[in-house]
Amino acid sequence: MSEESKPEASKKGKGKARSGEGEMSNISNISRELVEQLLRANPSLAGEMQGMDSKKIEEVMRGMSLQDISTGMATGGKNQKDMASYKFWNTQPVPKFGEDEPLPDGPLRENDLARVKTVGAELIEGFEWDTVDLTDDQQVREVYELLTHHYVEDSEAMFRFNYSASFLHWALKAPGWIKNWHVGVRVTSTKKLVAFISGIPVTLRVRENTLQCSEINFLCIHKKLRGKRLAPVLIKEVTRRCNLESVWNAIYTVGVVLPKPISTCRYFHRSLDWLKLYETGFSPLPTTSTKAKQVTKYALSANPSTKGLREMEVKDLDAVHDLFTRYMERFDLVPKFTVEEIGHWLLNGGSKYDERIVWAYVVEEEGKITDFFSFYSLESSVLGKKETIRAAYLFYYASETAFSKSPDAKKELKVRLNALIHDALILAKKFNFDVFNALTLLDNTLFLREQKFGAGDGSLHYYLFNWRTSFINGGIDDKKNVDDENGSGVGVVML
């Protein structure tokens, strides 16, 4: 839900946390001044503590670690998804702040289909539940309009994600998609769609356990209804519908801290058209530089240089699936895709729309696929202007170099990934993208600096519903800088 251990540390190879499982110690002594400072930096948390006396606030915050608070600091209130409240999440089967670690991996609530209600909870007067039919172009348009005007935007209200009809078909109609998991709320009198939340089925591996999950995304509520407390009702309803399919676990991401992240990654951005990004207010001009220097800094070659690089085709599916599956064994939180799912996510999902969403490339040497990489398109509207920022987002990739037995295996992988991602930047520029975005997940810590990615001001927190696991490194250290040494254990790219 949607703005990088030592090599020998774990069996999975990456992401196993250091002592304390990646968390800083709890706040035992906290001053009133520090409380006020932390609450100003985390408006979501501040909203939950309105009305509490100072002693109660201090008590609550002592139960949180510094990392729980600091990694969720938002740049402002407008860029937060409406993910309900701390009070709500404390009633749900999710890990709680202050729990002793390490605790064994496992479910937090027993699964009992007999206790799942067959009808949704009653909504406030004037509104009704609906199942949005994404095979109906008109209803797809309604979801698009709702997201366009009421979904996530930046803190200065300058940019907003622009989810096209093609993107929604790709993101919400993955293999095995369930119509009943596309949940809407409509005005009873006009049938206007005013709220939406979605889920798609996904198989996850969390360390040694394989879970059948729903991937929850696109929780959006009309701005005029933000005070109606619809978010927890929507979350409960999509949970109920997933439970009816005997799916008891979910994965979701948010830009602020809720109880309780299993990992945190940071956004990084690589300018492709720096001048446009500057003129639209996306990128600043450093005080020590000039426009000409910035344009030169981010210049790229006209063509990629990797020998054997070509666009991925249907005939490559089995080979790419095999490489992807082996590569992902090195991480702690990963999707387990079938060949059909690989085809959907990397070959544009067979969309009936002309707009291209995803670009995937393979490297073929002597008839063997040795590498692949992919990126997808998600535009942002520049609010108040008839202009868009074309953003490419790094998606999945893999390389046979990761399986080298050489003593310099990590260095070899770093060299190879830098070459591949550099070519990805060139291709994205060729297709008129303005910026290339990536998180500190997978092996991204090996190339972000070298490829001139700059740190963004947003973090992305990963959550699991009804599943406990200790903290997984997200590719950043306690100061939110790229963690070159430990890397990331996260291998799930959320849209």
Side-chain angles (χ1 to χ4, degrees):
M1 284 178 218
S2 125
E3 260 212 218
E4 213 206 334
S5 64
K6 301 276 186 184
E8 69 273 14
S10 77
K11 183 177 178 181
K12 293 299 175 187
K14 293 181 69 73
K16 186 175 178 64
R18 293 163 287 180
S19 59
E21 290 300 325
E23 299 230 355
M24 298 170 66
S25 59
N26 282 9
I27 306 170
S28 56
N29 297 306
I30 184 168
S31 67
R32 183 170 298 180
E33 181 181 357
L34 178 57
V35 169
E36 292 175 354
Q37 181 182 351
L38 290 171
L39 292 180
R40 283 196 300 270
N42 194 334
S44 177
L45 180 60
E48 289 308 307
M49 296 189 175
Q50 287 183 351
M52 290 186 187
D53 60 45
S54 58
K55 289 185 178 180
K56 180 62 175 177
I57 291 175
E58 291 173 18
E59 179 184 335
V60 171
M61 294 188 73
R62 284 193 189 99
M64 302 173 69
S65 72
L66 282 171
Q67 180 165 310
D68 290 333
I69 299 170
S70 64
T71 58
M73 289 182 179
T75 55
K78 292 179 180 178
N79 62 342
Q80 299 174 30
K81 297 178 182 181
D82 188 352
M83 279 299 298
S85 67
Y86 278 79
K87 294 176 184 176
F88 165 74
W89 286 108
N90 280 327
T91 68
Q92 301 300 298
V94 295
K96 304 299 189 292
F97 292 119
E99 287 183 338
D100 294 330
E101 291 200 31
L103 294 170
D105 287 18
L108 293 160
R109 183 170 65 189
E110 291 186 9
N111 307 329
D112 186 356
L113 188 59
R115 298 180 63 180
V116 180
K117 295 180 180 179
T118 56
V119 295
E122 187 174 344
L123 287 168
I124 54 178
E125 185 176 356
F127 299 90
E128 61 186 26
W129 291 114
D130 184 43
T131 298
V132 180
D133 183 1
L134 295 185
T135 64
D136 180 343
D137 287 348
Q138 176 57 34
Q139 294 189 50
V140 173
R141 180 72 184 180
E142 289 180 281
V143 175
Y144 163 77
E145 293 285 352
L146 180 66
L147 294 173
T148 296
H149 297 294
H150 304 282
Y151 201 47
V152 182
E153 62 188 38
D154 73 299
S155 57
E156 286 80 31
M158 295 175 64
F159 308 97
R160 185 186 294 125
F161 288 137
N162 180 17
Y163 291 100
S164 66
S166 295
F167 190 98
L168 294 174
H169 275 278
W170 178 65
L172 297 177
K173 294 169 70 177
W177 69 280
I178 296 171
K179 179 180 178 181
N180 203 39
W181 290 5
H182 299 154
V183 184
V185 172
R186 295 186 182 274
V187 178
T188 303
S189 58
T190 64
K191 306 304 179 185
K192 179 180 176 64
L193 184 69
V194 292
F196 181 74
I197 191 170
S198 71
I200 58 171
V202 60
T203 302
L204 292 182
R205 179 178 56 75
V206 185
R207 293 191 162 98
E208 306 299 331
N209 295 282
T210 298
L211 309 178
Q212 299 302 319
C213 297
S214 55
E215 182 179 306
I216 303 300
N217 209 339
F218 301 111
L219 170 56
C220 182
I221 298 169
H222 194 290
K223 290 179 180 179
K224 292 184 178 179
L225 299 177
R226 296 284 168 85
K228 300 292 186 181
R229 294 290 184 182
L230 277 175
V233 183
L234 279 162
I235 293 166
K236 285 183 178 180
E237 176 60 13
V238 75
T239 299
R240 183 189 70 83
R241 296 186 183 201
C242 291
N243 290 167
L244 287 174
E245 302 291 335
S246 295
V247 173
W248 308 97
N249 306 106
I251 184 171
Y252 51 100
T253 55
V254 195
V256 294
V257 170
L258 299 168
K260 179 184 179 184
I262 64 159
S263 190
T264 295
C265 299
R266 187 174 184 179
Y267 279 107
F268 278 71
H269 312 283
R270 207 287 187 185
S271 297
L272 300 176
D273 186 343
W274 182 87
L275 189 59
K276 178 179 178 180
L277 296 177
Y278 171 72
E279 291 174 345
T280 55
F282 185 92
S283 295
L285 174 63
T287 55
T288 58
S289 187
T290 65
K291 292 181 183 179
K293 287 181 179 179
Q294 289 299 103
V295 171
T296 300
K297 176 182 177 179
Y298 294 110
L300 291 161
S301 305
N303 296 299
S305 59
T306 301
K307 183 179 178 181
L309 182 68
R310 61 170 174 79
E311 284 201 53
M312 181 179 169
E313 303 175 34
V314 173
K315 69 179 183 179
D316 304 316
L317 278 175
D318 287 335
V320 169
H321 176 259
D322 174 70
L323 177 57
F324 171 85
T325 301
R326 289 184 289 114
Y327 194 84
M328 300 301 276
E329 290 175 357
R330 303 162 53 253
F331 303 94
D332 293 324
L333 175 67
V334 301
K336 296 183 70 173
F337 288 149
T338 63
V339 174
E340 182 184 10
E341 287 171 322
I342 287 288
H344 174 87
W345 292 120
L346 300 186
L347 296 177
N348 222 42
S351 173
K352 66 179 180 179
Y353 294 90
D354 293 333
E355 180 188 4
R356 188 171 184 178
I357 301 300
V358 62
W359 283 255
Y361 293 81
V362 299
V363 178
E364 183 176 4
E365 296 180 5
E366 298 178 353
K368 180 182 179 180
I369 301 301
T370 60
D371 314 82
F372 83 88
F373 62 77
S374 59
F375 53 88
Y376 65 88
S377 169
L378 177 54
E379 294 184 351
S380 287
S381 301
V382 182
L383 303 184
K385 300 180 181 180
K386 293 182 179 179
E387 196 166 10
T388 60
I389 298 293
R390 281 180 49 80
Y393 285 75
L394 183 60
F395 203 28
Y396 290 107
Y397 59 83
S399 174
E400 288 285 357
T401 310
F403 311 112
S404 169
K405 303 300 183 181
S406 165
D408 295 324
K410 184 175 180 180
K411 182 178 179 180
E412 291 174 2
L413 180 60
K414 181 173 184 174
V415 170
R416 184 61 170 177
L417 290 181
N418 270 277
L420 292 170
I421 300 306
H422 189 74
D423 281 351
L425 296 173
I426 292 170
L427 290 163
K429 175 68 174 177
K430 185 176 180 180
F431 287 106
N432 298 315
F433 285 97
D434 304 313
V435 63
F436 200 104
N437 299 327
L439 283 157
T440 55
L441 41 67
L442 292 167
D443 284 308
N444 296 4
T445 58
L446 298 180
F447 56 75
L448 288 173
R449 287 197 185 99
E450 288 80 355
Q451 297 307 316
K452 302 178 184 178
F453 283 79
D457 56 12
S459 296
L460 192 68
H461 306 284
Y462 281 73
Y463 299 86
L464 289 176
F465 187 86
N466 195 28
W467 192 261
R468 177 194 290 114
T469 192
S470 54
F471 194 80
I472 297 171
N473 286 340
I476 52 176
D477 60 23
D478 294 336
K479 295 182 180 179
K480 296 172 63 175
N481 297 319
V482 170
D483 191 344
D484 296 289
E485 180 181 2
N486 299 304
S488 175
V490 177
V492 177
V493 183
M494 296 282 285
L495 305 179

PDB file of all heavy atoms in Angstrom, residues 33 39 49 78 80 105 121 123 128 161-162 164 189 202 227 260 266-267 271 324 339 366 402 424 434 445 454 491:
ATOM      1  N   GLU A  33      10.518  17.488  25.763  1.00  0.00           N
ATOM      2  CA  GLU A  33      10.951  18.156  24.541  1.00  0.00           C
ATOM      3  C   GLU A  33      11.154  17.162  23.404  1.00  0.00           C
ATOM      4  O   GLU A  33      10.747  17.402  22.267  1.00  0.00           O
ATOM      5  CB  GLU A  33      12.257  18.901  24.808  1.00  0.00           C
ATOM      6  CG  GLU A  33      12.787  19.668  23.591  1.00  0.00           C
ATOM      7  CD  GLU A  33      14.090  20.373  23.887  1.00  0.00           C
ATOM      8  OE1 GLU A  33      14.563  20.321  25.050  1.00  0.00           O
ATOM      9  OE2 GLU A  33      14.643  20.975  22.947  1.00  0.00           O
ATOM     10  N   LEU A  39       6.807  13.727  17.868  1.00  0.00           N
ATOM     11  CA  LEU A  39       5.423  13.794  17.419  1.00  0.00           C
ATOM     12  C   LEU A  39       5.268  14.769  16.253  1.00  0.00           C
ATOM     13  O   LEU A  39       4.459  14.524  15.344  1.00  0.00           O
ATOM     14  CB  LEU A  39       4.512  14.199  18.580  1.00  0.00           C
ATOM     15  CG  LEU A  39       4.362  13.159  19.699  1.00  0.00           C
ATOM     16  CD1 LEU A  39       3.437  13.683  20.790  1.00  0.00           C
ATOM     17  CD2 LEU A  39       3.846  11.830  19.164  1.00  0.00           C
ATOM     18  N   MET A  49      -2.392  10.397  19.518  1.00  0.00           N
ATOM     19  CA  MET A  49      -2.154  10.740  20.917  1.00  0.00           C
ATOM     20  C   MET A  49      -2.846  12.027  21.338  1.00  0.00           C
ATOM     21  O   MET A  49      -2.652  12.499  22.457  1.00  0.00           O
ATOM     22  CB  MET A  49      -0.648  10.818  21.178  1.00  0.00           C
ATOM     23  CG  MET A  49       0.035   9.478  20.979  1.00  0.00           C
ATOM     24  SD  MET A  49       1.744   9.439  21.509  1.00  0.00           S
ATOM     25  CE  MET A  49       2.126   7.700  21.244  1.00  0.00           C
ATOM     26  N   LYS A  78       0.146  15.146   3.974  1.00  0.00           N
ATOM     27  CA  LYS A  78      -0.593  14.885   2.750  1.00  0.00           C
ATOM     28  C   LYS A  78      -0.111  13.661   2.007  1.00  0.00           C
ATOM     29  O   LYS A  78      -0.811  13.145   1.160  1.00  0.00           O
ATOM     30  CB  LYS A  78      -0.513  16.113   1.838  1.00  0.00           C
ATOM     31  CG  LYS A  78      -1.282  17.314   2.393  1.00  0.00           C
ATOM     32  CD  LYS A  78      -1.149  18.502   1.486  1.00  0.00           C
ATOM     33  CE  LYS A  78      -1.904  19.695   2.045  1.00  0.00           C
ATOM     34  NZ  LYS A  78      -1.742  20.889   1.189  1.00  0.00           N
ATOM     35  N   GLN A  80       0.527  10.764   3.238  1.00  0.00           N
ATOM     36  CA  GLN A  80       0.264   9.533   3.974  1.00  0.00           C
ATOM     37  C   GLN A  80      -0.990   8.852   3.441  1.00  0.00           C
ATOM     38  O   GLN A  80      -2.003   9.489   3.197  1.00  0.00           O
ATOM     39  CB  GLN A  80       0.055   9.834   5.462  1.00  0.00           C
ATOM     40  CG  GLN A  80       1.256  10.480   6.123  1.00  0.00           C
ATOM     41  CD  GLN A  80       0.938  10.883   7.542  1.00  0.00           C
ATOM     42  OE1 GLN A  80       0.128  10.262   8.203  1.00  0.00           O
ATOM     43  NE2 GLN A  80       1.577  11.935   7.992  1.00  0.00           N
ATOM     44  N   ASP A 105       8.469 -17.429  14.680  1.00  0.00           N
ATOM     45  CA  ASP A 105       7.612 -17.102  13.549  1.00  0.00           C
ATOM     46  C   ASP A 105       6.324 -17.901  13.640  1.00  0.00           C
ATOM     47  O   ASP A 105       6.333 -19.076  14.014  1.00  0.00           O
ATOM     48  CB  ASP A 105       8.317 -17.442  12.232  1.00  0.00           C
ATOM     49  CG  ASP A 105       9.431 -16.469  11.907  1.00  0.00           C
ATOM     50  OD1 ASP A 105       9.881 -15.768  12.830  1.00  0.00           O
ATOM     51  OD2 ASP A 105       9.851 -16.408  10.735  1.00  0.00           O
ATOM     52  N   ALA A 121     -19.979  -5.558   7.444  1.00  0.00           N
ATOM     53  CA  ALA A 121     -20.500  -4.725   8.520  1.00  0.00           C
ATOM     54  C   ALA A 121     -21.362  -3.607   7.949  1.00  0.00           C
ATOM     55  O   ALA A 121     -21.182  -3.175   6.797  1.00  0.00           O
ATOM     56  CB  ALA A 121     -19.342  -4.140   9.323  1.00  0.00           C
ATOM     57  N   LEU A 123     -22.565  -0.072   7.068  1.00  0.00           N
ATOM     58  CA  LEU A 123     -21.906   1.211   6.864  1.00  0.00           C
ATOM     59  C   LEU A 123     -22.751   2.344   7.431  1.00  0.00           C
ATOM     60  O   LEU A 123     -23.936   2.153   7.764  1.00  0.00           O
ATOM     61  CB  LEU A 123     -21.670   1.448   5.373  1.00  0.00           C
ATOM     62  CG  LEU A 123     -20.576   0.611   4.711  1.00  0.00           C
ATOM     63  CD1 LEU A 123     -20.661   0.727   3.190  1.00  0.00           C
ATOM     64  CD2 LEU A 123     -19.203   1.056   5.199  1.00  0.00           C
ATOM     65  N   GLU A 128     -23.109   2.320   0.847  1.00  0.00           N
ATOM     66  CA  GLU A 128     -23.312   0.882   0.702  1.00  0.00           C
ATOM     67  C   GLU A 128     -22.065   0.219   0.123  1.00  0.00           C
ATOM     68  O   GLU A 128     -21.264   0.847  -0.566  1.00  0.00           O
ATOM     69  CB  GLU A 128     -24.510   0.612  -0.223  1.00  0.00           C
ATOM     70  CG  GLU A 128     -24.340   1.162  -1.624  1.00  0.00           C
ATOM     71  CD  GLU A 128     -25.593   1.018  -2.475  1.00  0.00           C
ATOM     72  OE1 GLU A 128     -26.702   0.959  -1.915  1.00  0.00           O
ATOM     73  OE2 GLU A 128     -25.446   0.964  -3.718  1.00  0.00           O
ATOM     74  N   PHE A 161       0.229  10.499  -7.828  1.00  0.00           N
ATOM     75  CA  PHE A 161       0.296   9.334  -8.702  1.00  0.00           C
ATOM     76  C   PHE A 161      -0.864   9.327  -9.687  1.00  0.00           C
ATOM     77  O   PHE A 161      -1.996   9.651  -9.333  1.00  0.00           O
ATOM     78  CB  PHE A 161       0.243   8.039  -7.884  1.00  0.00           C
ATOM     79  CG  PHE A 161       1.498   7.763  -7.106  1.00  0.00           C
ATOM     80  CD1 PHE A 161       1.431   7.306  -5.801  1.00  0.00           C
ATOM     81  CD2 PHE A 161       2.744   7.946  -7.671  1.00  0.00           C
ATOM     82  CE1 PHE A 161       2.578   7.031  -5.073  1.00  0.00           C
ATOM     83  CE2 PHE A 161       3.905   7.682  -6.960  1.00  0.00           C
ATOM     84  CZ  PHE A 161       3.816   7.227  -5.656  1.00  0.00           C
ATOM     85  N   ASN A 162      -0.567   8.922 -10.903  1.00  0.00           N
ATOM     86  CA  ASN A 162      -1.577   8.861 -11.950  1.00  0.00           C
ATOM     87  C   ASN A 162      -1.704   7.410 -12.419  1.00  0.00           C
ATOM     88  O   ASN A 162      -1.009   6.983 -13.333  1.00  0.00           O
ATOM     89  CB  ASN A 162      -1.184   9.782 -13.111  1.00  0.00           C
ATOM     90  CG  ASN A 162      -2.198   9.772 -14.227  1.00  0.00           C
ATOM     91  OD1 ASN A 162      -3.331   9.352 -14.046  1.00  0.00           O
ATOM     92  ND2 ASN A 162      -1.797  10.230 -15.397  1.00  0.00           N
ATOM     93  N   SER A 164      -3.178   4.705 -14.421  1.00  0.00           N
ATOM     94  CA  SER A 164      -3.979   4.581 -15.635  1.00  0.00           C
ATOM     95  C   SER A 164      -4.828   3.312 -15.596  1.00  0.00           C
ATOM     96  O   SER A 164      -4.619   2.418 -14.767  1.00  0.00           O
ATOM     97  CB  SER A 164      -3.063   4.532 -16.855  1.00  0.00           C
ATOM     98  OG  SER A 164      -2.279   3.346 -16.818  1.00  0.00           O
ATOM     99  N   SER A 189     -27.522   6.958  -2.841  1.00  0.00           N
ATOM    100  CA  SER A 189     -28.454   7.696  -3.701  1.00  0.00           C
ATOM    101  C   SER A 189     -27.939   7.888  -5.124  1.00  0.00           C
ATOM    102  O   SER A 189     -28.711   7.842  -6.079  1.00  0.00           O
ATOM    103  CB  SER A 189     -28.760   9.063  -3.080  1.00  0.00           C
ATOM    104  OG  SER A 189     -27.556   9.812  -2.903  1.00  0.00           O
ATOM    105  N   VAL A 202      -1.264 -13.831  -3.484  1.00  0.00           N
ATOM    106  CA  VAL A 202       0.176 -13.944  -3.677  1.00  0.00           C
ATOM    107  C   VAL A 202       0.715 -14.998  -2.717  1.00  0.00           C
ATOM    108  O   VAL A 202       0.229 -15.120  -1.588  1.00  0.00           O
ATOM    109  CB  VAL A 202       0.887 -12.591  -3.445  1.00  0.00           C
ATOM    110  CG1 VAL A 202       0.667 -12.082  -2.030  1.00  0.00           C
ATOM    111  CG2 VAL A 202       2.377 -12.689  -3.751  1.00  0.00           C
ATOM    112  N   GLY A 227     -13.008  12.113   7.544  1.00  0.00           N
ATOM    113  CA  GLY A 227     -13.349  12.145   8.965  1.00  0.00           C
ATOM    114  C   GLY A 227     -14.370  11.103   9.373  1.00  0.00           C
ATOM    115  O   GLY A 227     -14.777  11.043  10.543  1.00  0.00           O
ATOM    116  N   LYS A 260       3.141  -3.336  13.292  1.00  0.00           N
ATOM    117  CA  LYS A 260       4.508  -3.009  13.547  1.00  0.00           C
ATOM    118  C   LYS A 260       5.303  -3.461  12.337  1.00  0.00           C
ATOM    119  O   LYS A 260       5.118  -4.586  11.873  1.00  0.00           O
ATOM    120  CB  LYS A 260       4.982  -3.728  14.807  1.00  0.00           C
ATOM    121  CG  LYS A 260       6.411  -3.490  15.167  1.00  0.00           C
ATOM    122  CD  LYS A 260       6.808  -4.323  16.378  1.00  0.00           C
ATOM    123  CE  LYS A 260       8.260  -4.092  16.719  1.00  0.00           C
ATOM    124  NZ  LYS A 260       8.685  -4.960  17.830  1.00  0.00           N
ATOM    125  N   ARG A 266      14.060   2.445   1.943  1.00  0.00           N
ATOM    126  CA  ARG A 266      14.036   3.874   1.609  1.00  0.00           C
ATOM    127  C   ARG A 266      14.011   4.053   0.103  1.00  0.00           C
ATOM    128  O   ARG A 266      14.614   3.280  -0.642  1.00  0.00           O
ATOM    129  CB  ARG A 266      15.257   4.585   2.203  1.00  0.00           C
ATOM    130  CG  ARG A 266      15.223   6.106   2.036  1.00  0.00           C
ATOM    131  CD  ARG A 266      16.369   6.785   2.748  1.00  0.00           C
ATOM    132  NE  ARG A 266      16.270   8.238   2.654  1.00  0.00           N
ATOM    133  CZ  ARG A 266      17.133   9.089   3.198  1.00  0.00           C
ATOM    134  NH1 ARG A 266      18.175   8.618   3.880  1.00  0.00           N
ATOM    135  NH2 ARG A 266      16.965  10.399   3.054  1.00  0.00           N
ATOM    136  N   TYR A 267      13.313   5.100  -0.337  1.00  0.00           N
ATOM    137  CA  TYR A 267      13.260   5.425  -1.760  1.00  0.00           C
ATOM    138  C   TYR A 267      14.518   6.162  -2.202  1.00  0.00           C
ATOM    139  O   TYR A 267      15.042   7.017  -1.492  1.00  0.00           O
ATOM    140  CB  TYR A 267      12.052   6.317  -2.063  1.00  0.00           C
ATOM    141  CG  TYR A 267      10.755   5.568  -2.193  1.00  0.00           C
ATOM    142  CD1 TYR A 267       9.784   5.632  -1.191  1.00  0.00           C
ATOM    143  CD2 TYR A 267      10.485   4.799  -3.315  1.00  0.00           C
ATOM    144  CE1 TYR A 267       8.585   4.951  -1.306  1.00  0.00           C
ATOM    145  CE2 TYR A 267       9.290   4.113  -3.445  1.00  0.00           C
ATOM    146  CZ  TYR A 267       8.342   4.194  -2.434  1.00  0.00           C
ATOM    147  OH  TYR A 267       7.169   3.516  -2.557  1.00  0.00           O
ATOM    148  N   SER A 271      17.876  10.876 -11.590  1.00  0.00           N
ATOM    149  CA  SER A 271      17.393  11.780 -12.628  1.00  0.00           C
ATOM    150  C   SER A 271      17.771  11.260 -14.008  1.00  0.00           C
ATOM    151  O   SER A 271      18.911  10.836 -14.241  1.00  0.00           O
ATOM    152  CB  SER A 271      17.995  13.171 -12.431  1.00  0.00           C
ATOM    153  OG  SER A 271      17.578  13.735 -11.211  1.00  0.00           O
ATOM    154  N   PHE A 324      14.942 -16.485 -11.717  1.00  0.00           N
ATOM    155  CA  PHE A 324      14.298 -15.683 -10.668  1.00  0.00           C
ATOM    156  C   PHE A 324      14.139 -16.483  -9.378  1.00  0.00           C
ATOM    157  O   PHE A 324      14.467 -16.014  -8.286  1.00  0.00           O
ATOM    158  CB  PHE A 324      12.927 -15.210 -11.166  1.00  0.00           C
ATOM    159  CG  PHE A 324      12.074 -14.555 -10.110  1.00  0.00           C
ATOM    160  CD1 PHE A 324      12.229 -13.209  -9.826  1.00  0.00           C
ATOM    161  CD2 PHE A 324      11.123 -15.285  -9.410  1.00  0.00           C
ATOM    162  CE1 PHE A 324      11.438 -12.600  -8.850  1.00  0.00           C
ATOM    163  CE2 PHE A 324      10.336 -14.691  -8.437  1.00  0.00           C
ATOM    164  CZ  PHE A 324      10.504 -13.341  -8.163  1.00  0.00           C
ATOM    165  N   VAL A 339       5.264 -19.752 -13.386  1.00  0.00           N
ATOM    166  CA  VAL A 339       5.638 -19.292 -14.725  1.00  0.00           C
ATOM    167  C   VAL A 339       4.573 -18.335 -15.259  1.00  0.00           C
ATOM    168  O   VAL A 339       4.889 -17.308 -15.873  1.00  0.00           O
ATOM    169  CB  VAL A 339       5.818 -20.493 -15.676  1.00  0.00           C
ATOM    170  CG1 VAL A 339       6.052 -20.009 -17.105  1.00  0.00           C
ATOM    171  CG2 VAL A 339       6.982 -21.363 -15.218  1.00  0.00           C
ATOM    172  N   GLU A 366      25.146 -17.634 -25.642  1.00  0.00           N
ATOM    173  CA  GLU A 366      25.242 -18.996 -26.177  1.00  0.00           C
ATOM    174  C   GLU A 366      23.975 -19.801 -25.885  1.00  0.00           C
ATOM    175  O   GLU A 366      24.033 -20.954 -25.461  1.00  0.00           O
ATOM    176  CB  GLU A 366      26.481 -19.696 -25.604  1.00  0.00           C
ATOM    177  CG  GLU A 366      27.783 -19.007 -25.974  1.00  0.00           C
ATOM    178  CD  GLU A 366      28.994 -19.697 -25.364  1.00  0.00           C
ATOM    179  OE1 GLU A 366      28.813 -20.636 -24.555  1.00  0.00           O
ATOM    180  OE2 GLU A 366      30.128 -19.301 -25.704  1.00  0.00           O
ATOM    181  N   ALA A 402      25.344 -14.110  -9.254  1.00  0.00           N
ATOM    182  CA  ALA A 402      25.106 -14.254  -7.812  1.00  0.00           C
ATOM    183  C   ALA A 402      25.544 -15.617  -7.291  1.00  0.00           C
ATOM    184  O   ALA A 402      25.760 -15.783  -6.089  1.00  0.00           O
ATOM    185  CB  ALA A 402      23.631 -14.036  -7.502  1.00  0.00           C
ATOM    186  N   ALA A 424      19.708  -0.360 -17.919  1.00  0.00           N
ATOM    187  CA  ALA A 424      18.292  -0.108 -17.644  1.00  0.00           C
ATOM    188  C   ALA A 424      18.007   1.396 -17.645  1.00  0.00           C
ATOM    189  O   ALA A 424      16.974   1.847 -18.177  1.00  0.00           O
ATOM    190  CB  ALA A 424      17.897  -0.722 -16.297  1.00  0.00           C
ATOM    191  N   ASP A 434      11.498  10.363 -17.155  1.00  0.00           N
ATOM    192  CA  ASP A 434      12.157  11.531 -16.571  1.00  0.00           C
ATOM    193  C   ASP A 434      12.978  11.184 -15.338  1.00  0.00           C
ATOM    194  O   ASP A 434      13.945  11.882 -15.017  1.00  0.00           O
ATOM    195  CB  ASP A 434      11.109  12.584 -16.175  1.00  0.00           C
ATOM    196  CG  ASP A 434      10.236  12.987 -17.341  1.00  0.00           C
ATOM    197  OD1 ASP A 434      10.780  13.261 -18.423  1.00  0.00           O
ATOM    198  OD2 ASP A 434       8.991  13.009 -17.180  1.00  0.00           O
ATOM    199  N   THR A 445      21.487  -2.120  -2.907  1.00  0.00           N
ATOM    200  CA  THR A 445      22.547  -1.396  -2.200  1.00  0.00           C
ATOM    201  C   THR A 445      23.884  -1.493  -2.925  1.00  0.00           C
ATOM    202  O   THR A 445      24.783  -0.706  -2.659  1.00  0.00           O
ATOM    203  CB  THR A 445      22.714  -1.938  -0.767  1.00  0.00           C
ATOM    204  OG1 THR A 445      23.018  -3.339  -0.819  1.00  0.00           O
ATOM    205  CG2 THR A 445      21.442  -1.732   0.046  1.00  0.00           C
ATOM    206  N   GLY A 454      19.896   9.379  -5.852  1.00  0.00           N
ATOM    207  CA  GLY A 454      19.901  10.227  -4.670  1.00  0.00           C
ATOM    208  C   GLY A 454      18.818   9.799  -3.704  1.00  0.00           C
ATOM    209  O   GLY A 454      17.733   9.357  -4.104  1.00  0.00           O
ATOM    210  N   GLY A 491      12.705  -9.019  -0.673  1.00  0.00           N
ATOM    211  CA  GLY A 491      12.679  -9.303  -2.104  1.00  0.00           C
ATOM    212  C   GLY A 491      11.311  -9.119  -2.718  1.00  0.00           C
ATOM    213  O   GLY A 491      11.062  -9.574  -3.839  1.00  0.00           O
TER     214      GLY A 491
END
